[in-house]
Amino acid sequence: MTGDVTAPEVTVWVDDDRLKTVQALLDMMGTSVRPIAFGSPKSNAASEWARQLDIPMFDDLRQVLVQHPSAFVLLGTLEGVGPDDLPMAVAQGSKVIAIEPVGATVGEHAQAYKLIKPADGSNRPPGRIVHAPAFDRSAGFLAAAAPHESLGDHRAVQMTHAGSARSGSMFFRLFDAWISVLDFIELPERIDAELSPAAGSTAVPDDPRQLTGRLTAHARLPGVGSAGVLVSDQAAELTRRLTVVGDQAQLVITAGGYKLTKTDGEVVDHLDADKEPGYLDQLAAQWRRLIDQRTPPPEHRATREQHALACCHACLLSARTGEPESPQRLMEIARV
């Protein structure tokens, strides 16, 4: 569990809600990473785990980052994360693996991605923040290299991102779904959404981190085209599936495979997948690609994530008002 001494080091920040997920992920990663410090805002279970592994334990993330800089920071919770903690980690060269969106708003996201100079004044290359398991970093999505020209224009896009709460929060699913959809379309003009809350929850929350249940959304684009999103943290099976229908071809992507078909039925390219990879399998696969440096960050990723957050808030606002809402307008408000 402590990993090979030559393996990249990782520090962990986690709470009780995600402790079992983090433990299982590190077990799956095995000797390919080496944990050197744990931290938690409040978790007796995490403290006991650290004691068993003879690894230092902290209740202050800044202290972890200062005393134990590492190649990776596995971020299992945003509780106790200060506004400058993630920029500091990135400045030190760490790749921050976040299993929840690092910002609940466009402003919080911009703060997390703020560039700062390393405290020691060095010119080391910065790290980056990586949300995982990101659908656009999955094996199926990466294998469908540059399909955009084959699709043509006037696209209709549909994304399903569903599973149980054990395999990711509702907010992460909505955020990740919009990131994937926005790879194929412009920022929508209007989004009309409906939330069916989980049992025991009756209102649409102001904070997207409190989302739970089932949400559907329909987006109208500036030109011709549309997009639909279905997300849930109450589904029986883990499902991530993106369908894009253009005027020249259709593309279907799952986490494990894809199929690109011309409108006349000719299959242009495909990668068969027997079944949807499990949640932990997808997390571990993305982490291993980062270790192997096989996937550079997508172009304009931070901007697309901010657009995705604006779409998330447009969904919440629409579900609350019963009217279509503008993500562009929410972006403008966030910048005031």
Side-chain angles (χ1 to χ4, degrees):
M1 172 63 189
T2 55
D4 189 299
V5 293
T6 63
E9 296 176 335
V10 56
T11 53
V12 177
W13 184 253
V14 67
D15 61 6
D16 282 341
D17 288 343
R18 293 298 180 193
L19 181 59
K20 289 184 178 180
T21 296
V22 167
Q23 288 174 319
L25 176 59
L26 288 176
D27 284 344
M28 184 173 286
M29 294 298 293
T31 58
S32 59
V33 295
R34 182 162 63 95
I36 60 171
F38 291 159
S40 177
K42 48 184 178 181
S43 174
N44 293 330
S47 298
E48 175 60 22
W49 185 34
R51 188 192 65 77
Q52 292 174 3
L53 297 173
D54 193 24
I55 291 175
M57 180 72 189
F58 301 86
D59 60 5
D60 186 295
L61 179 56
R62 175 60 62 94
Q63 191 176 6
V64 177
L65 298 176
V66 170
Q67 295 189 18
H68 298 279
S70 57
F72 292 97
V73 176
L74 180 56
L75 196 63
T77 180
L78 273 297
E79 185 178 355
V81 178
D84 293 324
D85 289 347
L86 299 187
M88 175 183 170
V90 170
Q92 293 178 164
S94 298
K95 292 183 177 69
V96 179
I97 300 176
I99 62 176
E100 287 296 321
V102 296
T105 66
V106 173
E108 287 181 6
H109 181 278
Q111 172 64 32
Y113 278 72
K114 180 180 67 174
L115 295 177
I116 62 173
K117 294 182 179 180
D120 60 7
S122 66
N123 292 319
R124 71 172 67 89
R128 68 184 200 256
I129 297 171
V130 178
H131 289 97
F135 184 69
D136 68 344
R137 301 288 87 189
S138 67
F141 202 106
L142 292 172
H148 299 76
E149 290 186 6
S150 300
L151 289 166
D153 299 321
H154 304 157
R155 298 170 185 173
V157 183
Q158 175 68 43
M159 177 77 189
T160 299
H161 199 319
S164 72
R166 295 186 303 276
S167 59
S169 72
M170 181 87 154
F171 180 32
F172 181 88
R173 295 181 196 283
L174 188 60
F175 175 66
D176 190 50
W178 279 116
I179 288 174
S180 303
V181 168
L182 289 169
D183 192 50
F184 294 91
I185 62 169
E186 299 177 69
L187 184 66
E189 280 189 341
R190 298 282 176 180
I191 297 176
D192 194 356
E194 180 72 24
L195 174 68
S196 299
S201 177
T202 58
V204 180
D206 294 324
D207 184 349
R209 298 197 192 281
Q210 303 303 317
L211 264 175
T212 183
R214 298 157 297 279
L215 183 144
T216 56
H218 178 264
R220 296 184 182 277
L221 307 185
V224 178
S226 62
V229 168
L230 165 62
V231 297
S232 176
D233 65 348
Q234 305 290 307
E237 294 183 349
L238 180 62
T239 303
R240 296 198 293 180
R241 182 184 181 91
L242 177 71
T243 302
V244 185
V245 180
D247 54 16
Q248 297 179 23
Q250 171 182 305
L251 175 67
V252 178
I253 306 177
T254 65
Y258 76 97
K259 186 176 182 180
L260 179 63
T261 310
K262 289 184 178 181
T263 53
D264 62 7
E266 177 189 354
V267 176
V268 178
D269 204 0
H270 69 99
L271 172 66
D272 293 331
D274 294 333
K275 61 178 181 179
E276 174 86 4
Y279 175 69
L280 288 173
D281 294 313
Q282 295 179 34
L283 272 172
Q286 187 172 344
W287 195 350
R288 292 189 183 106
R289 282 192 291 271
L290 286 169
I291 293 172
D292 296 339
Q293 298 182 333
R294 285 180 286 159
T295 52
E299 212 175 338
H300 310 303
R301 177 59 181 237
T303 299
R304 183 141 52 97
E305 289 184 358
Q306 291 187 5
H307 286 174
L309 280 170
C311 290
C312 290
H313 281 276
C315 287
L316 263 68
L317 187 57
S318 175
R320 190 177 303 116
T321 65
E323 299 291 335
E325 300 292 344
S326 166
Q328 181 62 53
R329 176 59 180 154
L330 294 177
M331 289 284 293
E332 293 168 359
I333 293 172
R335 288 172 179 154
V336 172

